[in-house]
Amino acid sequence: MALMDFIKKQFIDIIQWTETGDGTLAWRFPMADMEIQNGGSLTVRESQVAVFVNEGKVADVFGPGMYKLTTQTLPVLTYLKNWDKLFESPFKSDVYFFSTRQQIDQKWGTPQPITIRDKDFGAVRLRAFGNYSFRIGDAKIFHTEISGTRDIYSVADLDGQLRGLVLQNISNAIASSGVPFLDLAANQIQFAQALAVQLVPEFEKIGIKLENLTVQNVSLPEELQKILDQKIGMGMVGNDMGKFMQYQTAQAIPKFAEGAAGGGGIAGDAMGLGAGVALGQVMAQNLAQGLNPNNANAAAAAAAGAAAAAQPTVAVVSAADVMTTLEKLGELKTKGILTQEEFDAKKADLLKKLV
């Protein structure tokens, strides 16, 4: 009976792997109940590594080439199985192939803004994205730490882990690069190099070699971008608050003109609050300061007088008028023309008129 069982056994003479598509990192050779014929052939192609595993322990690792499987070419397996040099019987072992070619154009990005520390802005929330490429650098570590006994392990299986490592190291990379946030856009290569330095040892811990990494974009959330634009505007006028206010006034005039032409909008709402005249005079004085800096003090005094003269008297008005004005103010706040504090102050003035 034992002889018949031996005759029925199937023996493997050639062990090889031909990749049928992209994205496979590890592939287990299908053994079933078959045994490897002593003296059989192992073919490992370029961009591949083969690993023999005996009873859960990694034994021999083979790089590209063609091998005749004997006790001489399987020294670790020979030792684990306690073979002598003349052993020629078939044997069983798990064989795994690993693809060592580059896995290119792997995407990374921040799904939500991340907070970093910046010497110019303090805490800054930013978004960034790019791509990277990698390959298996140490098949033994990758097998023991990641792929294990699975029949197939793909790039998609590893994608989430690698993305997480990239995001985890962004803050450290920016800090180590020493590049201020405002200069990151012009120094994306330097930022990418700093990020790669942080990632290389993290990837090596799981048997992965980082080949290349790019940073394609660094940006702020929209609300912070508006603040940054204002800071840039102040920088353009030498951080002179007076000149910056003149710049802001000049930018606001076309918006007021559009509102007046439309029969409402900003100018109409300001007139409804009794502040249109004062606002126009303040604008004129600000522009005058820009044209003639020597008249700055006189212009400021005139603007203060105009603002004082335009202070509305408290009077009882109808609830319908108050609600209409509040709605218009709400629209101004939504458009970002009025801040929440300004809106609250005007609302309080209107509500006093109902008393």
Side-chain angles (χ1 to χ4, degrees), residues 279-301:
L279 183 58
Q281 293 179 352
V282 171
M283 284 185 174
Q285 297 301 331
N286 279 336
L287 290 176
Q289 290 179 39
L291 295 173
N292 187 359
N294 295 327
N295 293 333
N297 294 333

PDB file of all heavy atoms in Angstrom, residues 279-301:
ATOM      1  N   LEU A 279     -20.011 106.747   5.019  1.00  0.00           N
ATOM      2  CA  LEU A 279     -19.141 105.786   4.353  1.00  0.00           C
ATOM      3  C   LEU A 279     -18.473 106.397   3.136  1.00  0.00           C
ATOM      4  O   LEU A 279     -17.285 106.225   2.887  1.00  0.00           O
ATOM      5  CB  LEU A 279     -19.953 104.552   3.944  1.00  0.00           C
ATOM      6  CG  LEU A 279     -19.165 103.408   3.288  1.00  0.00           C
ATOM      7  CD1 LEU A 279     -18.070 102.930   4.219  1.00  0.00           C
ATOM      8  CD2 LEU A 279     -20.115 102.271   2.944  1.00  0.00           C
ATOM      9  N   GLY A 280     -19.263 107.178   2.364  1.00  0.00           N
ATOM     10  CA  GLY A 280     -18.682 107.818   1.192  1.00  0.00           C
ATOM     11  C   GLY A 280     -17.604 108.802   1.579  1.00  0.00           C
ATOM     12  O   GLY A 280     -16.562 108.894   0.931  1.00  0.00           O
ATOM     13  N   GLN A 281     -17.832 109.569   2.654  1.00  0.00           N
ATOM     14  CA  GLN A 281     -16.822 110.536   3.083  1.00  0.00           C
ATOM     15  C   GLN A 281     -15.565 109.847   3.592  1.00  0.00           C
ATOM     16  O   GLN A 281     -14.450 110.301   3.346  1.00  0.00           O
ATOM     17  CB  GLN A 281     -17.406 111.452   4.163  1.00  0.00           C
ATOM     18  CG  GLN A 281     -18.509 112.369   3.635  1.00  0.00           C
ATOM     19  CD  GLN A 281     -19.075 113.254   4.727  1.00  0.00           C
ATOM     20  OE1 GLN A 281     -18.747 113.073   5.892  1.00  0.00           O
ATOM     21  NE2 GLN A 281     -19.910 114.203   4.343  1.00  0.00           N
ATOM     22  N   VAL A 282     -15.737 108.746   4.330  1.00  0.00           N
ATOM     23  CA  VAL A 282     -14.568 108.001   4.817  1.00  0.00           C
ATOM     24  C   VAL A 282     -13.755 107.474   3.648  1.00  0.00           C
ATOM     25  O   VAL A 282     -12.518 107.522   3.632  1.00  0.00           O
ATOM     26  CB  VAL A 282     -15.013 106.845   5.742  1.00  0.00           C
ATOM     27  CG1 VAL A 282     -13.827 105.946   6.055  1.00  0.00           C
ATOM     28  CG2 VAL A 282     -15.591 107.411   7.025  1.00  0.00           C
ATOM     29  N   MET A 283     -14.453 106.964   2.616  1.00  0.00           N
ATOM     30  CA  MET A 283     -13.740 106.490   1.426  1.00  0.00           C
ATOM     31  C   MET A 283     -12.940 107.611   0.792  1.00  0.00           C
ATOM     32  O   MET A 283     -11.780 107.452   0.406  1.00  0.00           O
ATOM     33  CB  MET A 283     -14.728 105.916   0.412  1.00  0.00           C
ATOM     34  CG  MET A 283     -15.249 104.545   0.751  1.00  0.00           C
ATOM     35  SD  MET A 283     -16.287 103.926  -0.576  1.00  0.00           S
ATOM     36  CE  MET A 283     -16.564 102.270   0.030  1.00  0.00           C
ATOM     37  N   ALA A 284     -13.579 108.779   0.633  1.00  0.00           N
ATOM     38  CA  ALA A 284     -12.904 109.910   0.013  1.00  0.00           C
ATOM     39  C   ALA A 284     -11.679 110.321   0.808  1.00  0.00           C
ATOM     40  O   ALA A 284     -10.620 110.610   0.246  1.00  0.00           O
ATOM     41  CB  ALA A 284     -13.880 111.082  -0.123  1.00  0.00           C
ATOM     42  N   GLN A 285     -11.813 110.335   2.136  1.00  0.00           N
ATOM     43  CA  GLN A 285     -10.687 110.728   2.962  1.00  0.00           C
ATOM     44  C   GLN A 285      -9.552 109.715   2.875  1.00  0.00           C
ATOM     45  O   GLN A 285      -8.373 110.084   2.851  1.00  0.00           O
ATOM     46  CB  GLN A 285     -11.140 110.886   4.432  1.00  0.00           C
ATOM     47  CG  GLN A 285     -12.165 111.992   4.647  1.00  0.00           C
ATOM     48  CD  GLN A 285     -11.654 113.355   4.211  1.00  0.00           C
ATOM     49  OE1 GLN A 285     -10.450 113.601   4.248  1.00  0.00           O
ATOM     50  NE2 GLN A 285     -12.552 114.234   3.795  1.00  0.00           N
ATOM     51  N   ASN A 286      -9.891 108.434   2.827  1.00  0.00           N
ATOM     52  CA  ASN A 286      -8.850 107.404   2.706  1.00  0.00           C
ATOM     53  C   ASN A 286      -8.089 107.558   1.399  1.00  0.00           C
ATOM     54  O   ASN A 286      -6.864 107.423   1.344  1.00  0.00           O
ATOM     55  CB  ASN A 286      -9.462 106.004   2.790  1.00  0.00           C
ATOM     56  CG  ASN A 286      -9.728 105.587   4.220  1.00  0.00           C
ATOM     57  OD1 ASN A 286      -9.099 106.090   5.145  1.00  0.00           O
ATOM     58  ND2 ASN A 286     -10.664 104.668   4.397  1.00  0.00           N
ATOM     59  N   LEU A 287      -8.836 107.824   0.308  1.00  0.00           N
ATOM     60  CA  LEU A 287      -8.179 108.016  -0.977  1.00  0.00           C
ATOM     61  C   LEU A 287      -7.330 109.285  -0.950  1.00  0.00           C
ATOM     62  O   LEU A 287      -6.238 109.324  -1.542  1.00  0.00           O
ATOM     63  CB  LEU A 287      -9.217 108.083  -2.089  1.00  0.00           C
ATOM     64  CG  LEU A 287      -9.926 106.750  -2.402  1.00  0.00           C
ATOM     65  CD1 LEU A 287     -10.996 106.964  -3.458  1.00  0.00           C
ATOM     66  CD2 LEU A 287      -8.917 105.707  -2.868  1.00  0.00           C
ATOM     67  N   ALA A 288      -7.807 110.306  -0.289  1.00  0.00           N
ATOM     68  CA  ALA A 288      -7.046 111.549  -0.198  1.00  0.00           C
ATOM     69  C   ALA A 288      -5.739 111.324   0.541  1.00  0.00           C
ATOM     70  O   ALA A 288      -4.702 111.883   0.193  1.00  0.00           O
ATOM     71  CB  ALA A 288      -7.883 112.626   0.499  1.00  0.00           C
ATOM     72  N   GLN A 289      -5.781 110.487   1.573  1.00  0.00           N
ATOM     73  CA  GLN A 289      -4.550 110.180   2.297  1.00  0.00           C
ATOM     74  C   GLN A 289      -3.537 109.524   1.382  1.00  0.00           C
ATOM     75  O   GLN A 289      -2.340 109.780   1.454  1.00  0.00           O
ATOM     76  CB  GLN A 289      -4.846 109.241   3.472  1.00  0.00           C
ATOM     77  CG  GLN A 289      -5.624 109.886   4.588  1.00  0.00           C
ATOM     78  CD  GLN A 289      -5.890 108.893   5.704  1.00  0.00           C
ATOM     79  OE1 GLN A 289      -5.022 108.093   6.021  1.00  0.00           O
ATOM     80  NE2 GLN A 289      -7.076 108.949   6.269  1.00  0.00           N
ATOM     81  N   GLY A 290      -4.016 108.640   0.491  1.00  0.00           N
ATOM     82  CA  GLY A 290      -3.101 107.975  -0.426  1.00  0.00           C
ATOM     83  C   GLY A 290      -2.500 108.933  -1.414  1.00  0.00           C
ATOM     84  O   GLY A 290      -1.336 108.821  -1.799  1.00  0.00           O
ATOM     85  N   LEU A 291      -3.289 109.961  -1.870  1.00  0.00           N
ATOM     86  CA  LEU A 291      -2.788 110.910  -2.856  1.00  0.00           C
ATOM     87  C   LEU A 291      -1.893 111.965  -2.210  1.00  0.00           C
ATOM     88  O   LEU A 291      -0.943 112.445  -2.824  1.00  0.00           O
ATOM     89  CB  LEU A 291      -3.978 111.590  -3.558  1.00  0.00           C
ATOM     90  CG  LEU A 291      -4.852 110.662  -4.413  1.00  0.00           C
ATOM     91  CD1 LEU A 291      -6.071 111.418  -4.910  1.00  0.00           C
ATOM     92  CD2 LEU A 291      -4.039 110.112  -5.583  1.00  0.00           C
ATOM     93  N   ASN A 292      -2.200 112.346  -0.970  1.00  0.00           N
ATOM     94  CA  ASN A 292      -1.421 113.376  -0.294  1.00  0.00           C
ATOM     95  C   ASN A 292      -1.217 112.986   1.162  1.00  0.00           C
ATOM     96  O   ASN A 292      -2.042 113.299   2.017  1.00  0.00           O
ATOM     97  CB  ASN A 292      -2.132 114.727  -0.392  1.00  0.00           C
ATOM     98  CG  ASN A 292      -1.266 115.867   0.145  1.00  0.00           C
ATOM     99  OD1 ASN A 292      -0.139 115.644   0.605  1.00  0.00           O
ATOM    100  ND2 ASN A 292      -1.793 117.085   0.091  1.00  0.00           N
ATOM    101  N   PRO A 293      -0.111 112.291   1.487  1.00  0.00           N
ATOM    102  CA  PRO A 293       0.111 111.824   2.871  1.00  0.00           C
ATOM    103  C   PRO A 293       0.159 112.954   3.872  1.00  0.00           C
ATOM    104  O   PRO A 293      -0.113 112.748   5.051  1.00  0.00           O
ATOM    105  CB  PRO A 293       1.458 111.104   2.779  1.00  0.00           C
ATOM    106  CG  PRO A 293       1.605 110.748   1.325  1.00  0.00           C
ATOM    107  CD  PRO A 293       0.932 111.854   0.576  1.00  0.00           C
ATOM    108  N   ASN A 294       0.491 114.205   3.444  1.00  0.00           N
ATOM    109  CA  ASN A 294       0.587 115.312   4.403  1.00  0.00           C
ATOM    110  C   ASN A 294      -0.766 115.691   4.982  1.00  0.00           C
ATOM    111  O   ASN A 294      -0.863 116.344   6.008  1.00  0.00           O
ATOM    112  CB  ASN A 294       1.209 116.537   3.720  1.00  0.00           C
ATOM    113  CG  ASN A 294       2.655 116.274   3.318  1.00  0.00           C
ATOM    114  OD1 ASN A 294       3.352 115.534   4.005  1.00  0.00           O
ATOM    115  ND2 ASN A 294       3.094 116.882   2.214  1.00  0.00           N
ATOM    116  N   ASN A 295      -1.836 115.301   4.252  1.00  0.00           N
ATOM    117  CA  ASN A 295      -3.177 115.639   4.738  1.00  0.00           C
ATOM    118  C   ASN A 295      -3.789 114.520   5.559  1.00  0.00           C
ATOM    119  O   ASN A 295      -4.992 114.484   5.745  1.00  0.00           O
ATOM    120  CB  ASN A 295      -4.095 115.951   3.544  1.00  0.00           C
ATOM    121  CG  ASN A 295      -3.661 117.225   2.824  1.00  0.00           C
ATOM    122  OD1 ASN A 295      -3.060 118.101   3.437  1.00  0.00           O
ATOM    123  ND2 ASN A 295      -3.962 117.301   1.528  1.00  0.00           N
ATOM    124  N   ALA A 296      -2.968 113.573   6.006  1.00  0.00           N
ATOM    125  CA  ALA A 296      -3.500 112.398   6.694  1.00  0.00           C
ATOM    126  C   ALA A 296      -4.244 112.781   7.965  1.00  0.00           C
ATOM    127  O   ALA A 296      -5.349 112.297   8.233  1.00  0.00           O
ATOM    128  CB  ALA A 296      -2.369 111.420   7.018  1.00  0.00           C
ATOM    129  N   ASN A 297      -3.651 113.695   8.776  1.00  0.00           N
ATOM    130  CA  ASN A 297      -4.293 114.038  10.045  1.00  0.00           C
ATOM    131  C   ASN A 297      -5.605 114.780   9.814  1.00  0.00           C
ATOM    132  O   ASN A 297      -6.624 114.524  10.456  1.00  0.00           O
ATOM    133  CB  ASN A 297      -3.350 114.899  10.892  1.00  0.00           C
ATOM    134  CG  ASN A 297      -2.122 114.121  11.330  1.00  0.00           C
ATOM    135  OD1 ASN A 297      -2.198 112.896  11.451  1.00  0.00           O
ATOM    136  ND2 ASN A 297      -1.007 114.814  11.562  1.00  0.00           N
ATOM    137  N   ALA A 298      -5.578 115.714   8.848  1.00  0.00           N
ATOM    138  CA  ALA A 298      -6.807 116.453   8.570  1.00  0.00           C
ATOM    139  C   ALA A 298      -7.885 115.549   8.030  1.00  0.00           C
ATOM    140  O   ALA A 298      -9.066 115.667   8.374  1.00  0.00           O
ATOM    141  CB  ALA A 298      -6.508 117.584   7.562  1.00  0.00           C
ATOM    142  N   ALA A 299      -7.471 114.601   7.187  1.00  0.00           N
ATOM    143  CA  ALA A 299      -8.450 113.674   6.618  1.00  0.00           C
ATOM    144  C   ALA A 299      -9.058 112.802   7.700  1.00  0.00           C
ATOM    145  O   ALA A 299     -10.257 112.520   7.687  1.00  0.00           O
ATOM    146  CB  ALA A 299      -7.781 112.808   5.552  1.00  0.00           C
ATOM    147  N   ALA A 300      -8.225 112.390   8.637  1.00  0.00           N
ATOM    148  CA  ALA A 300      -8.741 111.538   9.705  1.00  0.00           C
ATOM    149  C   ALA A 300      -9.752 112.297  10.548  1.00  0.00           C
ATOM    150  O   ALA A 300     -10.788 111.761  10.940  1.00  0.00           O
ATOM    151  CB  ALA A 300      -7.580 111.038  10.565  1.00  0.00           C
ATOM    152  N   ALA A 301      -9.427 113.569  10.832  1.00  0.00           N
ATOM    153  CA  ALA A 301     -10.366 114.366  11.628  1.00  0.00           C
ATOM    154  C   ALA A 301     -11.671 114.569  10.887  1.00  0.00           C
ATOM    155  O   ALA A 301     -12.759 114.495  11.467  1.00  0.00           O
ATOM    156  CB  ALA A 301      -9.724 115.717  11.972  1.00  0.00           C
TER     157      ALA A 301
END
